[in-house]
Amino acid sequence: MFEDVYAEFERLRRRILREFDRLLAEVSSYRADWSPDGRLQPLYTVYEYPDRYVVLVDLPAADTSTITVTATRTALSIEAKLERDINLEDIYGTVVGREVKVDHYKHTIPLPEDADPEGIRVNVKPSKIIEIVIPRRAGRS
Amino acid sequence: MSRPVYEEEYEGLLLMEYEEFEVERPSFLVLGLPDTGLVGVISTNHLVSSFGLREVAGIDLLGLMPPVAVISGGVVRPPLRIYAGGNIMAVMAETPVPPSLVPSLARMIVDYSMKRGVDYIVSIVGVASPNRVNIERPNVYWIASNDKAKKLVEGLGISGFLNGYLVGPYALILKNSIRFRASNLVLLADAYMEFPDPEAAATVLAVFSKIIGRDIDTRKLLEQAEMIRLRLRSLMKQTRQAMAEMGGPSPLMYA
């Protein structure tokens, strides 16, 4: 019985750590959704299933032939060029971004400990949303 | 923001009408508040431009934090704008409604619709669908506050939203409508929870077009879908945070 309690505690502890990682990543990236070197940070969602993680990344106006996804044990990197340079002024309609052009997406998403990057599958949808499936290693939660 | 001809203040909200205007009957007030997939925002934005609706009023959030003045076209405009033309009125928000202001906003919208004699309040909502990425054509569902609102969707062949929950302003607008006997029809479309979803908006607009018996050309909306998704990234991010504060469903809720 104590083992059950311990396992439950361990599961919660890992989950809390993951949430913290995600929050930290969100907070540190909150203001920088573009940068003067032409980088746009894409929107993404992580779904957690018992046997896998599914990451959806929204890449509107990307040139789909240039999408690269690389995974290490701890992080997932996504890069793609835009079909053309886009002036921030055209996106937001304000003068603020007049001088800033963006031409690519780039972002790194931290991966949970039990993600198994070996078995990664990437699926590019016609809507320019990419679906990345990463299996979870068995025996851990 | 020109000086209003009429204003009312209610619990931290200031509603202003910039001019006298009439709305033809039966009148529809379409709500485009930011939530899942920004379906409401994208839909009302498209309605405003394709029907050529005029900005006639607005709602300012007096206690909004951080304190912000939205400047657009050289003038200060409140974060919630109200447009009108023919028998359509539309409310569009450029910022997520802070959770603390949701109850008063819901109250104000229902109250204002009743004062203006609006026949139907139509809420356009996205419903987070984890499988959205595999759905080519999103489904549309409905919820109605009363029989009058329910009649709008009879015969359109769309299913009722039988089980699930609404979170945020739309939830309280629905409850207040029931309480004050206003007719509120909620149209929900399968949508990406955290990405702006113009396709879901186009699908809801197709249903709304049948309801009002008037064509709504959504080709332009779909052609510009990628630019819309690009432009709405920041609003989507802010909305996601506001929704998280309200305790909305999270994709990380799987235990």
Side-chain angles (χ1 to χ4, degrees):
Chain A
M1 185 196 138
F2 283 115
E3 276 172 18
D4 284 355
V5 172
Y6 180 74
E8 177 67 14
F9 177 75
E10 183 57 22
R11 196 183 62 83
L12 271 175
R13 190 185 68 91
R14 284 174 192 279
R15 196 171 153 202
I16 289 166
L17 283 179
R18 274 203 303 275
E19 289 279 353
F20 265 114
D21 280 349
R22 177 173 145 111
L23 278 176
L24 267 179
E26 297 243 316
V27 169
S28 55
S29 66
Y30 185 61
R31 284 178 201 291
D33 71 1
W34 55 269
S35 70
D37 64 358
R39 180 181 59 87
L40 267 183
Q41 185 196 310
L43 293 172
Y44 69 93
T45 312
V46 182
Y47 291 94
E48 187 181 330
Y49 295 97
D51 60 333
R52 66 193 188 280
Y53 295 101
V54 176
V55 182
L56 296 183
V57 188
D58 194 22
L59 299 173
D63 173 353
T64 46
S65 67
T66 63
I67 296 174
T68 41
V69 176
T70 43
T72 65
R73 280 183 59 123
T74 54
L76 188 65
S77 293
I78 294 126
E79 261 184 79
K81 288 207 172 78
L82 293 183
E83 284 167 331
R84 57 184 169 89
D85 292 4
I86 296 177
N87 220 311
L88 278 194
E89 189 183 6
D90 297 337
I91 304 183
Y92 298 113
T94 70
V95 289
V96 179
R98 186 177 281 168
E99 308 300 330
V100 184
K101 277 198 168 69
V102 287
D103 59 5
H104 69 287
Y105 284 107
K106 188 174 180 181
H107 196 54
T108 302
I109 301 168
L111 280 180
E113 254 178 68
D114 64 343
D116 177 10
E118 304 265 314
I120 190 169
R121 289 201 316 275
V122 180
N123 210 334
V124 179
K125 302 281 176 181
S127 54
K128 297 189 183 174
I129 286 173
I130 56 173
E131 182 187 37
I132 304 166
V133 181
I134 309 152
R136 298 174 74 166
R137 269 187 288 269
R140 304 168 78 171
S141 59
Chain B
M1 190 157 77
S2 37
R3 301 231 15 118
V5 295
Y6 167 81
E7 64 172 47
E8 57 182 77
E9 198 179 329
Y10 176 72
E11 290 188 358
L13 302 171
L14 179 67
L15 185 143
M16 300 158 284
E17 287 182 349
Y18 310 133
E19 57 180 89
E20 301 294 343
F21 63 94
E22 292 297 327
V23 183
E24 293 161 21
R25 308 291 292 268
S27 48
F28 294 85
L29 175 75
V30 185
L31 302 179
L33 304 174
D35 82 336
T36 306
L38 301 179
V39 181
V41 174
I42 301 171
S43 304
T44 46
N45 212 326
H46 187 71
L47 274 184
V48 167
S49 63
S50 55
F51 285 175
L53 305 183
R54 221 173 48 254
E55 189 175 341
V56 292
I59 301 175
D60 206 359
L61 314 171
L62 298 176
L64 179 68
M65 280 297 151
V68 172
V70 183
I71 294 144
S72 145
V75 286
V76 176
R77 295 156 84 199
L80 278 94
R81 294 156 194 184
I82 303 177
Y83 296 79
N87 65 339
I88 309 289
M89 284 177 77
V91 178
M92 203 168 69
E94 286 231 334
T95 170
V97 183
S100 61
L101 289 174
V102 166
S104 25
L105 181 71
R107 187 76 189 255
M108 180 179 251
I109 284 177
V110 174
D111 183 66
Y112 180 66
S113 327
M114 296 178 85
K115 277 186 194 153
R116 291 245 34 141
V118 165
D119 292 295
Y120 302 98
I121 302 172
V122 178
S123 305
I124 297 183
V125 190
V127 45
S129 162
N131 197 32
R132 170 71 181 90
V133 72
N134 298 314
I135 305 176
E136 214 154 284
R137 202 170 161 72
N139 286 306
V140 178
Y141 313 89
W142 60 268
I143 313 170
S145 70
N146 60 15
D147 283 344
K148 185 179 160 196
K150 199 158 129 188
K151 285 210 172 70
L152 291 177
V153 286
E154 271 174 9
L156 293 185
I158 59 171
S159 353
F161 185 73
L162 299 181
N163 300 298
Y165 52 91
L166 281 176
V167 177
Y170 290 119
L172 296 191
I173 289 167
L174 178 64
K175 288 195 203 175
N176 284 341
S177 297
I178 296 169
R179 185 170 163 212
F180 298 111
R181 297 197 173 88
S183 303
N184 177 209
L185 178 71
V186 185
L187 293 174
L188 308 96
D190 286 323
Y192 289 106
M193 172 155 167
E194 301 183 319
F195 304 157
D197 198 336
E199 286 165 18
T203 316
V204 177
L205 285 175
V207 171
F208 185 62
S209 151
K210 286 183 195 154
I211 290 173
I212 57 172
R214 204 169 145 187
D215 265 351
I216 302 171
D217 187 357
T218 53
R219 268 174 309 181
K220 210 169 141 200
L221 174 66
L222 293 169
E223 279 166 17
Q224 294 176 347
E226 290 188 43
M227 277 309 272
I228 294 173
R229 277 157 61 192
L230 210 50
R231 193 171 63 233
L232 292 177
R233 282 171 339 119
S234 310
L235 179 59
M236 188 74 254
K237 261 188 164 180
Q238 295 162 11
T239 303
R240 188 162 76 178
Q241 283 202 329
M243 285 169 70
E245 280 173 45
M246 286 187 272
S250 146
L252 286 165
M253 269 178 130
Y254 296 94

